[in-house]
Amino acid sequence: MSKLRFRISMSLDGYVAGPEQSVDNPLGIGGEQLHEWVFPLAAWRAPHGLPGGEVNQSTRVVEESQAGIGATIMGRNMFGGHPGPWDRNNPWNGWWGDDPPFHHPVFVLTHHAREPLELEGGTTFSYVTEGIELALEKARAAAQGNDVALAGGAKVAQQYIRAGLVDEMEISLVPILLGGGERLFEDTGTDLHGLELVRSVAAPGVTHLKFTRR
Amino acid sequence: MSKLRFRISMSLDGYVAGPEQSVDNPLGIGGEQLHEWVFPLAAWRAPHGLPGGEVNQSTRVVEESQAGIGATIMGRNMFGGHPGPWDRNNPWNGWWGDDPPFHHPVFVLTHHAREPLELEGGTTFSYVTEGIELALEKARAAAQGNDVALAGGAKVAQQYIRAGLVDEMEISLVPILLGGGERLFEDTGTDLHGLELVRSVAAPGVTHLKFTRR
């Protein structure tokens, strides 16, 4: 069966977003520092339609995390921090732009039903109101034998981790303190459901820790 | 000037001791898992007077952390979880035994003054009631040009980190969840005071992350 794979950047103090997150500042105060290691990489720029970029020890980690993914699951805040129910007459299309970097079906966990949103470049956002298991089922079907990426944010990731549904997890540990915000491992219990550290990669500004079931 | 160096084992969810710590269970529930990587090592067994043991990628990290140390600072709970003021007639000597593994002067931060305790093998415990800066001053003097080790626990370490007094920090990240207990980076703010990740070492059951001032 296709795997559910999760990669996220986390600070040394365990945060995946800084304090005072808002629609205007979705990463919270200082949260952009979590992602500074990835932006210069050619492997990140290419799927975002940008030329050039660096190659370093993070390259294969980013390439691995992108390879063989046929669908993505994300929480509603990651889709685009819309404050209330969807408005048919004035639809909010998230902050991914007209040509999002996914290029495959994306399933957004939300409490508010909505028709799918088809954008350029092969990305369609579908909205799932029936919880994490059905979202995974739908994503697996859409992935057509490929794996499913769990994009976050923290609360959705916590639900999948707790339920033991994550098959691979890459923690990109960034050596900074955010001092507050959203912690990934909060109320996630003590059970990694068989996930074991299988390799670590030291790269500029980040250490990548890969967990899989042996 | 001699450096203040700090090494500690931390879980993936950021804990350096598990929940429900007590005098009977100073590491808290599950906390012993944080140290399973170190016990088999010859480099750990030797200073504890034990023969044999393994050599692996952790060996040089443990050897580095022990080399050039002339004094140690620790919190009172790490000395030995004594529940009240010292009792001259029935002194509590901690849980380090008659021949503790330090073999140099150890300064215990406490609110309760007490005469120094001289044990076998060169370890003397002195008790400092005047706070972290004086403890560091005394430890530096006692170290006679060597470095000072900050042994923990979490609350003492947090004070030194916040004050910017830590010169080197080795986080031995253990890929487990403890789900509760004492977090190292809690109320430590956002300032690492110039400490930067300078190397990481992948070893069996642990990833060592070394921070120094460049």
Side-chain angles (χ1 to χ4, degrees), chain A residues 10 12-13 15 161 169 171 173 175-180 183 185-186 188-192 195-197 200-203 205-207 209 211, chain B residues 10 12-13 15 161 169 171 173 175-180 183 185-186 188-192 195-197 200-203 205-207 209 211:
Chain A
M10 184 174 94
L12 185 61
D13 51 353
Y15 296 100
I161 291 169
M169 176 170 76
I171 307 292
L173 191 74
I176 58 165
L177 300 180
L178 288 178
R183 276 201 166 108
F185 295 107
E186 193 72 68
T188 37
T190 60
D191 192 350
L192 277 171
L195 290 175
E196 292 179 31
L197 181 63
S200 56
V201 172
V206 63
T207 304
L209 305 168
F211 294 75
Chain B
M10 183 175 92
L12 184 62
D13 50 354
Y15 295 100
I161 291 170
M169 176 170 75
I171 307 292
L173 191 74
I176 58 165
L177 300 180
L178 287 179
R183 276 202 165 108
F185 294 108
E186 193 72 66
T188 37
T190 61
D191 192 349
L192 275 172
L195 290 175
E196 293 179 31
L197 181 64
S200 55
V201 172
V206 63
T207 303
L209 305 167
F211 294 74

Short mmCIF file of all heavy atoms in Angstrom, two decimals, chain A residues 10 12-13 15 161 169 171 173 175-180 183 185-186 188-192 195-197 200-203 205-207 209 211, chain B residues 10 12-13 15 161 169 171 173 175-180 183 185-186 188-192 195-197 200-203 205-207 209 211:
data_model
loop_
_atom_site.label_atom_id
_atom_site.label_comp_id
_atom_site.label_asym_id
_atom_site.label_seq_id
_atom_site.Cartn_x
_atom_site.Cartn_y
_atom_site.Cartn_z
N MET A 10 11.58 21.79 12.14
CA MET A 10 11.30 22.00 13.55
C MET A 10 12.50 22.68 14.20
O MET A 10 13.64 22.35 13.91
CB MET A 10 11.04 20.63 14.20
CG MET A 10 10.64 20.66 15.66
SD MET A 10 10.19 18.99 16.27
CE MET A 10 11.77 18.46 16.95
N LEU A 12 15.04 23.77 17.43
CA LEU A 12 15.66 23.01 18.52
C LEU A 12 14.73 22.91 19.73
O LEU A 12 14.75 21.92 20.46
CB LEU A 12 16.97 23.71 18.92
CG LEU A 12 17.85 23.04 19.97
CD1 LEU A 12 18.32 21.68 19.51
CD2 LEU A 12 19.03 23.92 20.34
N ASP A 13 13.91 23.93 19.93
CA ASP A 13 12.96 23.87 21.04
C ASP A 13 11.60 23.29 20.63
O ASP A 13 10.63 23.39 21.37
CB ASP A 13 12.82 25.22 21.77
CG ASP A 13 12.55 26.42 20.87
OD1 ASP A 13 12.59 26.26 19.64
OD2 ASP A 13 12.30 27.51 21.41
N TYR A 15 9.45 23.74 17.98
CA TYR A 15 8.35 24.45 17.33
C TYR A 15 8.40 24.33 15.80
O TYR A 15 9.48 24.37 15.21
CB TYR A 15 8.37 25.94 17.72
CG TYR A 15 8.12 26.15 19.19
CD1 TYR A 15 9.17 26.39 20.08
CD2 TYR A 15 6.83 26.05 19.71
CE1 TYR A 15 8.94 26.56 21.43
CE2 TYR A 15 6.60 26.21 21.07
CZ TYR A 15 7.66 26.46 21.92
OH TYR A 15 7.42 26.61 23.26
N ILE A 161 0.07 11.28 13.58
CA ILE A 161 1.11 10.60 14.37
C ILE A 161 0.46 9.77 15.48
O ILE A 161 0.77 8.60 15.68
CB ILE A 161 2.10 11.63 14.96
CG1 ILE A 161 2.95 12.25 13.85
CG2 ILE A 161 3.00 10.99 16.02
CD1 ILE A 161 3.77 13.46 14.30
N MET A 169 8.74 9.66 8.37
CA MET A 169 8.75 11.00 8.95
C MET A 169 10.16 11.55 8.83
O MET A 169 11.12 10.90 9.24
CB MET A 169 8.31 10.90 10.41
CG MET A 169 8.34 12.18 11.19
SD MET A 169 7.52 11.99 12.81
CE MET A 169 8.79 11.07 13.71
N ILE A 171 12.22 14.74 10.07
CA ILE A 171 12.27 15.96 10.88
C ILE A 171 13.52 16.74 10.46
O ILE A 171 14.63 16.26 10.65
CB ILE A 171 12.34 15.65 12.39
CG1 ILE A 171 11.21 14.71 12.82
CG2 ILE A 171 12.34 16.94 13.20
CD1 ILE A 171 9.85 15.30 12.76
N LEU A 173 15.65 19.40 11.54
CA LEU A 173 15.86 20.11 12.80
C LEU A 173 16.75 21.34 12.58
O LEU A 173 17.89 21.23 12.14
CB LEU A 173 16.51 19.17 13.81
CG LEU A 173 16.55 19.69 15.25
CD1 LEU A 173 15.17 19.62 15.87
CD2 LEU A 173 17.54 18.89 16.07
N PRO A 175 18.72 24.60 14.02
CA PRO A 175 19.35 24.90 15.31
C PRO A 175 19.09 26.32 15.80
O PRO A 175 20.00 27.11 15.98
CB PRO A 175 20.83 24.68 15.01
CG PRO A 175 20.98 25.00 13.56
CD PRO A 175 19.69 24.54 12.92
N ILE A 176 17.83 26.63 15.99
CA ILE A 176 17.41 27.93 16.51
C ILE A 176 16.37 27.70 17.61
O ILE A 176 15.80 26.61 17.72
CB ILE A 176 16.76 28.81 15.42
CG1 ILE A 176 15.53 28.09 14.80
CG2 ILE A 176 17.77 29.16 14.33
CD1 ILE A 176 14.63 28.98 13.99
N LEU A 177 16.15 28.73 18.41
CA LEU A 177 15.06 28.73 19.38
C LEU A 177 13.98 29.69 18.90
O LEU A 177 14.27 30.82 18.54
CB LEU A 177 15.57 29.19 20.75
CG LEU A 177 16.68 28.36 21.41
CD1 LEU A 177 17.05 28.95 22.77
CD2 LEU A 177 16.25 26.91 21.58
N LEU A 178 12.73 29.24 18.90
CA LEU A 178 11.62 30.14 18.58
C LEU A 178 10.93 30.64 19.85
O LEU A 178 10.22 31.64 19.82
CB LEU A 178 10.61 29.47 17.64
CG LEU A 178 11.12 29.29 16.21
CD1 LEU A 178 10.07 28.59 15.35
CD2 LEU A 178 11.50 30.63 15.57
N GLY A 179 11.12 29.93 20.96
CA GLY A 179 10.67 30.44 22.25
C GLY A 179 9.17 30.36 22.48
O GLY A 179 8.69 30.67 23.57
N GLY A 180 8.42 29.92 21.47
CA GLY A 180 6.97 29.82 21.61
C GLY A 180 6.38 29.50 20.26
O GLY A 180 7.09 29.48 19.26
N ARG A 183 4.18 23.60 18.87
CA ARG A 183 5.11 22.48 18.94
C ARG A 183 4.54 21.31 18.15
O ARG A 183 3.34 21.05 18.17
CB ARG A 183 5.31 22.05 20.40
CG ARG A 183 6.38 22.89 21.11
CD ARG A 183 6.89 22.12 22.32
NE ARG A 183 8.13 22.68 22.85
CZ ARG A 183 8.22 23.36 24.00
NH1 ARG A 183 7.16 23.56 24.74
NH2 ARG A 183 9.39 23.82 24.40
N PHE A 185 5.54 18.00 18.65
CA PHE A 185 5.30 16.88 19.57
C PHE A 185 4.68 17.39 20.86
O PHE A 185 5.36 17.64 21.86
CB PHE A 185 6.59 16.11 19.81
CG PHE A 185 7.10 15.43 18.58
CD1 PHE A 185 8.21 15.89 17.91
CD2 PHE A 185 6.41 14.34 18.05
CE1 PHE A 185 8.68 15.27 16.76
CE2 PHE A 185 6.86 13.71 16.89
CZ PHE A 185 8.00 14.18 16.24
N GLU A 186 3.39 17.59 20.80
CA GLU A 186 2.62 18.07 21.94
C GLU A 186 1.36 17.20 21.95
O GLU A 186 0.67 17.12 20.93
CB GLU A 186 2.26 19.55 21.71
CG GLU A 186 1.74 20.27 22.92
CD GLU A 186 2.83 20.53 23.96
OE1 GLU A 186 3.72 21.33 23.68
OE2 GLU A 186 2.76 19.91 25.04
N THR A 188 1.32 14.14 21.71
CA THR A 188 1.49 13.06 20.74
C THR A 188 1.80 11.74 21.44
O THR A 188 2.06 10.75 20.78
CB THR A 188 2.62 13.40 19.74
OG1 THR A 188 3.68 14.09 20.42
CG2 THR A 188 2.11 14.27 18.62
N GLY A 189 1.75 11.75 22.78
CA GLY A 189 1.94 10.51 23.52
C GLY A 189 3.37 10.04 23.49
O GLY A 189 4.30 10.81 23.24
N THR A 190 3.57 8.74 23.77
CA THR A 190 4.92 8.20 23.85
C THR A 190 5.17 7.14 22.78
O THR A 190 6.25 6.57 22.72
CB THR A 190 5.15 7.54 25.23
OG1 THR A 190 4.20 6.48 25.39
CG2 THR A 190 4.97 8.54 26.35
N ASP A 191 4.16 6.91 21.94
CA ASP A 191 4.25 5.79 21.00
C ASP A 191 4.56 6.30 19.60
O ASP A 191 3.76 7.03 19.01
CB ASP A 191 2.91 5.04 21.00
CG ASP A 191 2.99 3.71 20.29
OD1 ASP A 191 4.02 3.44 19.62
OD2 ASP A 191 2.03 2.93 20.38
N LEU A 192 5.74 5.91 19.09
CA LEU A 192 6.07 6.28 17.71
C LEU A 192 5.56 5.24 16.71
O LEU A 192 5.84 5.33 15.52
CB LEU A 192 7.59 6.48 17.56
CG LEU A 192 8.11 7.86 17.97
CD1 LEU A 192 9.64 7.88 17.99
CD2 LEU A 192 7.61 8.94 17.00
N LEU A 195 7.98 3.71 14.32
CA LEU A 195 8.89 4.58 13.57
C LEU A 195 10.24 4.65 14.29
O LEU A 195 10.31 4.96 15.48
CB LEU A 195 8.32 5.99 13.45
CG LEU A 195 7.10 6.15 12.55
CD1 LEU A 195 6.58 7.58 12.62
CD2 LEU A 195 7.44 5.79 11.10
N GLU A 196 11.31 4.34 13.54
CA GLU A 196 12.66 4.36 14.11
C GLU A 196 13.55 5.26 13.28
O GLU A 196 13.40 5.35 12.07
CB GLU A 196 13.25 2.95 14.10
CG GLU A 196 12.56 2.00 15.04
CD GLU A 196 13.18 0.61 14.97
OE1 GLU A 196 14.39 0.51 14.70
OE2 GLU A 196 12.43 -0.36 15.17
N LEU A 197 14.50 5.88 13.95
CA LEU A 197 15.49 6.71 13.26
C LEU A 197 16.34 5.81 12.38
O LEU A 197 17.00 4.90 12.87
CB LEU A 197 16.36 7.44 14.27
CG LEU A 197 17.43 8.37 13.70
CD1 LEU A 197 16.81 9.52 12.93
CD2 LEU A 197 18.31 8.92 14.82
N SER A 200 20.52 10.07 9.55
CA SER A 200 20.54 11.52 9.75
C SER A 200 21.53 12.14 8.79
O SER A 200 22.54 11.52 8.44
CB SER A 200 20.82 11.87 11.21
OG SER A 200 22.02 11.30 11.63
N VAL A 201 21.22 13.33 8.34
CA VAL A 201 22.05 14.05 7.37
C VAL A 201 22.36 15.42 7.93
O VAL A 201 21.44 16.19 8.25
CB VAL A 201 21.31 14.20 6.01
CG1 VAL A 201 22.11 15.11 5.07
CG2 VAL A 201 21.07 12.84 5.37
N ALA A 202 23.65 15.74 8.05
CA ALA A 202 24.07 17.08 8.46
C ALA A 202 24.17 17.94 7.21
O ALA A 202 24.84 17.57 6.25
CB ALA A 202 25.42 17.01 9.17
N ALA A 203 23.51 19.07 7.21
CA ALA A 203 23.51 19.96 6.04
C ALA A 203 23.60 21.40 6.55
O ALA A 203 23.39 21.65 7.74
CB ALA A 203 22.22 19.75 5.24
N GLY A 205 22.81 24.58 8.05
CA GLY A 205 21.66 25.17 8.75
C GLY A 205 20.58 24.20 9.17
O GLY A 205 19.51 24.64 9.61
N VAL A 206 20.83 22.90 9.07
CA VAL A 206 19.75 21.95 9.37
C VAL A 206 20.33 20.54 9.52
O VAL A 206 21.37 20.22 8.93
CB VAL A 206 18.68 21.99 8.23
CG1 VAL A 206 19.29 21.53 6.90
CG2 VAL A 206 17.44 21.19 8.57
N THR A 207 19.69 19.72 10.34
CA THR A 207 20.01 18.30 10.45
C THR A 207 18.74 17.51 10.16
O THR A 207 17.71 17.74 10.80
CB THR A 207 20.52 17.94 11.86
OG1 THR A 207 21.65 18.79 12.17
CG2 THR A 207 20.93 16.50 11.97
N LEU A 209 16.49 14.21 10.11
CA LEU A 209 16.35 12.94 10.82
C LEU A 209 15.20 12.14 10.20
O LEU A 209 14.04 12.57 10.28
CB LEU A 209 16.05 13.21 12.30
CG LEU A 209 17.08 14.11 13.04
CD1 LEU A 209 16.53 14.55 14.38
CD2 LEU A 209 18.39 13.38 13.20
N PHE A 211 12.79 8.90 9.92
CA PHE A 211 12.19 7.80 10.66
C PHE A 211 11.34 6.95 9.71
O PHE A 211 10.54 7.50 8.95
CB PHE A 211 11.26 8.33 11.77
CG PHE A 211 11.97 9.08 12.86
CD1 PHE A 211 12.43 10.37 12.65
CD2 PHE A 211 12.15 8.51 14.10
CE1 PHE A 211 13.08 11.08 13.66
CE2 PHE A 211 12.80 9.20 15.12
CZ PHE A 211 13.27 10.49 14.90
N MET B 10 18.36 14.39 25.18
CA MET B 10 17.01 14.96 25.05
C MET B 10 16.20 14.08 24.10
O MET B 10 16.72 13.60 23.09
CB MET B 10 17.15 16.38 24.51
CG MET B 10 15.87 17.15 24.38
SD MET B 10 16.17 18.89 23.88
CE MET B 10 16.04 18.75 22.10
N LEU B 12 13.09 13.27 21.34
CA LEU B 12 12.60 13.96 20.15
C LEU B 12 11.56 15.00 20.50
O LEU B 12 11.45 16.05 19.84
CB LEU B 12 12.00 12.91 19.18
CG LEU B 12 11.52 13.39 17.83
CD1 LEU B 12 12.66 13.97 17.00
CD2 LEU B 12 10.84 12.26 17.06
N ASP B 13 10.78 14.75 21.54
CA ASP B 13 9.79 15.75 21.97
C ASP B 13 10.36 16.72 23.01
O ASP B 13 9.60 17.46 23.65
CB ASP B 13 8.46 15.12 22.41
CG ASP B 13 8.60 13.97 23.41
OD1 ASP B 13 9.74 13.56 23.70
OD2 ASP B 13 7.54 13.50 23.88
N TYR B 15 12.22 16.41 25.90
CA TYR B 15 12.30 16.17 27.34
C TYR B 15 13.67 15.61 27.74
O TYR B 15 14.24 14.78 27.05
CB TYR B 15 11.21 15.21 27.80
CG TYR B 15 9.82 15.78 27.62
CD1 TYR B 15 9.03 15.43 26.53
CD2 TYR B 15 9.32 16.73 28.52
CE1 TYR B 15 7.77 15.98 26.35
CE2 TYR B 15 8.07 17.28 28.34
CZ TYR B 15 7.30 16.91 27.26
OH TYR B 15 6.05 17.47 27.08
N ILE B 161 21.67 28.82 30.23
CA ILE B 161 21.42 29.12 28.81
C ILE B 161 20.85 30.53 28.66
O ILE B 161 21.31 31.33 27.85
CB ILE B 161 20.46 28.07 28.19
CG1 ILE B 161 21.15 26.71 28.09
CG2 ILE B 161 19.98 28.52 26.81
CD1 ILE B 161 20.22 25.56 27.72
N MET B 169 27.61 23.42 23.87
CA MET B 169 26.43 22.64 24.24
C MET B 169 26.34 21.45 23.30
O MET B 169 26.42 21.61 22.08
CB MET B 169 25.21 23.54 24.09
CG MET B 169 23.89 22.89 24.34
SD MET B 169 22.52 24.12 24.41
CE MET B 169 22.32 24.53 22.67
N ILE B 171 23.80 18.49 22.43
CA ILE B 171 22.49 17.88 22.64
C ILE B 171 22.53 16.49 22.02
O ILE B 171 22.72 16.34 20.81
CB ILE B 171 21.37 18.69 21.96
CG1 ILE B 171 21.41 20.16 22.39
CG2 ILE B 171 20.01 18.06 22.22
CD1 ILE B 171 21.04 20.41 23.82
N LEU B 173 20.40 13.81 20.94
CA LEU B 173 18.98 13.69 20.65
C LEU B 173 18.61 12.22 20.47
O LEU B 173 19.13 11.54 19.59
CB LEU B 173 18.66 14.48 19.37
CG LEU B 173 17.18 14.66 19.08
CD1 LEU B 173 16.58 15.69 20.03
CD2 LEU B 173 16.96 15.07 17.64
N PRO B 175 15.86 9.35 19.66
CA PRO B 175 14.65 9.33 18.82
C PRO B 175 13.47 8.59 19.46
O PRO B 175 12.96 7.62 18.92
CB PRO B 175 15.14 8.62 17.55
CG PRO B 175 16.23 7.71 18.03
CD PRO B 175 16.90 8.44 19.16
N ILE B 176 13.07 9.11 20.61
CA ILE B 176 11.91 8.55 21.32
C ILE B 176 11.02 9.70 21.75
O ILE B 176 11.44 10.86 21.78
CB ILE B 176 12.33 7.76 22.58
CG1 ILE B 176 13.13 8.69 23.53
CG2 ILE B 176 13.15 6.53 22.22
CD1 ILE B 176 13.28 8.15 24.94
N LEU B 177 9.78 9.37 22.11
CA LEU B 177 8.86 10.33 22.71
C LEU B 177 8.69 9.97 24.18
O LEU B 177 8.43 8.81 24.51
CB LEU B 177 7.49 10.29 22.01
CG LEU B 177 7.46 10.62 20.52
CD1 LEU B 177 6.02 10.53 20.00
CD2 LEU B 177 8.05 11.99 20.23
N LEU B 178 8.82 10.96 25.06
CA LEU B 178 8.54 10.73 26.48
C LEU B 178 7.16 11.24 26.86
O LEU B 178 6.60 10.86 27.88
CB LEU B 178 9.61 11.37 27.36
CG LEU B 178 10.97 10.65 27.34
CD1 LEU B 178 11.97 11.36 28.22
CD2 LEU B 178 10.82 9.18 27.79
N GLY B 179 6.60 12.12 26.03
CA GLY B 179 5.19 12.50 26.21
C GLY B 179 4.92 13.44 27.37
O GLY B 179 3.79 13.88 27.57
N GLY B 180 5.94 13.74 28.16
CA GLY B 180 5.77 14.62 29.31
C GLY B 180 7.04 14.62 30.13
O GLY B 180 7.97 13.88 29.81
N ARG B 183 11.09 19.62 30.03
CA ARG B 183 11.68 20.01 28.76
C ARG B 183 12.92 20.85 29.03
O ARG B 183 12.94 21.68 29.93
CB ARG B 183 10.69 20.82 27.94
CG ARG B 183 9.72 19.95 27.15
CD ARG B 183 9.13 20.75 25.98
NE ARG B 183 8.48 19.91 25.01
CZ ARG B 183 7.16 19.83 24.84
NH1 ARG B 183 6.35 20.53 25.61
NH2 ARG B 183 6.66 19.05 23.90
N PHE B 185 14.29 23.03 26.67
CA PHE B 185 14.06 24.37 26.12
C PHE B 185 12.64 24.81 26.43
O PHE B 185 11.72 24.68 25.62
CB PHE B 185 14.35 24.37 24.62
CG PHE B 185 15.80 24.12 24.32
CD1 PHE B 185 16.21 22.91 23.78
CD2 PHE B 185 16.77 25.07 24.61
CE1 PHE B 185 17.55 22.67 23.51
CE2 PHE B 185 18.11 24.84 24.35
CZ PHE B 185 18.50 23.63 23.80
N GLU B 186 12.48 25.31 27.65
CA GLU B 186 11.20 25.82 28.12
C GLU B 186 11.53 27.12 28.82
O GLU B 186 12.38 27.13 29.73
CB GLU B 186 10.59 24.80 29.09
CG GLU B 186 9.14 25.03 29.43
CD GLU B 186 8.23 24.69 28.26
OE1 GLU B 186 8.16 23.51 27.90
OE2 GLU B 186 7.60 25.63 27.71
N THR B 188 13.34 29.36 27.68
CA THR B 188 14.74 29.68 27.40
C THR B 188 14.85 30.80 26.38
O THR B 188 15.94 31.15 25.96
CB THR B 188 15.51 28.43 26.90
OG1 THR B 188 14.65 27.67 26.07
CG2 THR B 188 15.96 27.57 28.06
N GLY B 189 13.70 31.38 25.99
CA GLY B 189 13.73 32.52 25.07
C GLY B 189 14.12 32.13 23.66
O GLY B 189 14.01 30.96 23.27
N THR B 190 14.57 33.10 22.89
CA THR B 190 14.89 32.85 21.49
C THR B 190 16.36 33.08 21.19
O THR B 190 16.80 32.93 20.06
CB THR B 190 14.08 33.79 20.57
OG1 THR B 190 14.43 35.16 20.89
CG2 THR B 190 12.59 33.61 20.77
N ASP B 191 17.13 33.42 22.21
CA ASP B 191 18.52 33.83 21.99
C ASP B 191 19.47 32.72 22.39
O ASP B 191 19.55 32.35 23.56
CB ASP B 191 18.80 35.09 22.83
CG ASP B 191 20.11 35.76 22.45
OD1 ASP B 191 20.90 35.16 21.70
OD2 ASP B 191 20.33 36.88 22.92
N LEU B 192 20.20 32.20 21.41
CA LEU B 192 21.20 31.17 21.72
C LEU B 192 22.55 31.82 22.06
O LEU B 192 23.54 31.12 22.25
CB LEU B 192 21.35 30.19 20.56
CG LEU B 192 20.34 29.04 20.54
CD1 LEU B 192 20.43 28.24 19.25
CD2 LEU B 192 20.55 28.09 21.73
N LEU B 195 25.58 30.72 20.14
CA LEU B 195 25.83 29.28 19.97
C LEU B 195 25.29 28.83 18.61
O LEU B 195 24.13 29.04 18.30
CB LEU B 195 25.15 28.47 21.09
CG LEU B 195 25.74 28.62 22.49
CD1 LEU B 195 24.90 27.87 23.50
CD2 LEU B 195 27.18 28.11 22.52
N GLU B 196 26.17 28.20 17.83
CA GLU B 196 25.77 27.72 16.51
C GLU B 196 26.09 26.24 16.38
O GLU B 196 27.07 25.76 16.93
CB GLU B 196 26.54 28.47 15.42
CG GLU B 196 26.19 29.94 15.33
CD GLU B 196 27.02 30.63 14.25
OE1 GLU B 196 27.38 29.96 13.26
OE2 GLU B 196 27.31 31.82 14.43
N LEU B 197 25.25 25.56 15.59
CA LEU B 197 25.50 24.13 15.33
C LEU B 197 26.78 24.00 14.52
O LEU B 197 26.88 24.55 13.42
CB LEU B 197 24.32 23.54 14.56
CG LEU B 197 24.41 22.06 14.22
CD1 LEU B 197 24.42 21.20 15.47
CD2 LEU B 197 23.25 21.64 13.32
N SER B 200 27.32 17.48 13.62
CA SER B 200 26.40 16.48 14.15
C SER B 200 26.97 15.10 13.85
O SER B 200 27.65 14.89 12.86
CB SER B 200 24.99 16.66 13.57
OG SER B 200 25.01 16.65 12.18
N VAL B 201 26.70 14.19 14.74
CA VAL B 201 27.22 12.82 14.65
C VAL B 201 26.06 11.85 14.78
O VAL B 201 25.32 11.88 15.77
CB VAL B 201 28.24 12.53 15.78
CG1 VAL B 201 28.64 11.06 15.79
CG2 VAL B 201 29.48 13.41 15.63
N ALA B 202 25.89 11.01 13.77
CA ALA B 202 24.89 9.95 13.83
C ALA B 202 25.50 8.73 14.49
O ALA B 202 26.57 8.28 14.08
CB ALA B 202 24.42 9.59 12.43
N ALA B 203 24.89 8.23 15.52
CA ALA B 203 25.41 7.08 16.26
C ALA B 203 24.23 6.16 16.60
O ALA B 203 23.07 6.57 16.49
CB ALA B 203 26.10 7.56 17.54
N GLY B 205 21.24 4.80 18.09
CA GLY B 205 20.25 5.24 19.07
C GLY B 205 20.31 6.69 19.48
O GLY B 205 19.62 7.08 20.43
N VAL B 206 21.09 7.50 18.76
CA VAL B 206 21.25 8.89 19.19
C VAL B 206 21.89 9.71 18.07
O VAL B 206 22.65 9.17 17.25
CB VAL B 206 22.12 8.95 20.48
CG1 VAL B 206 23.52 8.42 20.23
CG2 VAL B 206 22.15 10.32 21.10
N THR B 207 21.57 11.00 18.03
CA THR B 207 22.25 11.94 17.13
C THR B 207 22.79 13.07 18.00
O THR B 207 22.05 13.70 18.74
CB THR B 207 21.25 12.51 16.10
OG1 THR B 207 20.65 11.43 15.38
CG2 THR B 207 21.97 13.43 15.10
N LEU B 209 24.39 16.70 18.57
CA LEU B 209 24.42 18.01 17.93
C LEU B 209 25.26 18.95 18.79
O LEU B 209 24.90 19.25 19.93
CB LEU B 209 23.00 18.56 17.81
CG LEU B 209 21.99 17.66 17.08
CD1 LEU B 209 20.57 18.15 17.30
CD2 LEU B 209 22.31 17.60 15.59
N PHE B 211 27.01 22.52 19.61
CA PHE B 211 26.90 23.97 19.43
C PHE B 211 28.09 24.65 20.12
O PHE B 211 28.39 24.35 21.27
CB PHE B 211 25.62 24.51 20.08
CG PHE B 211 24.35 24.02 19.43
CD1 PHE B 211 23.90 22.72 19.61
CD2 PHE B 211 23.60 24.87 18.64
CE1 PHE B 211 22.74 22.27 19.02
CE2 PHE B 211 22.42 24.44 18.04
CZ PHE B 211 21.98 23.13 18.22
#
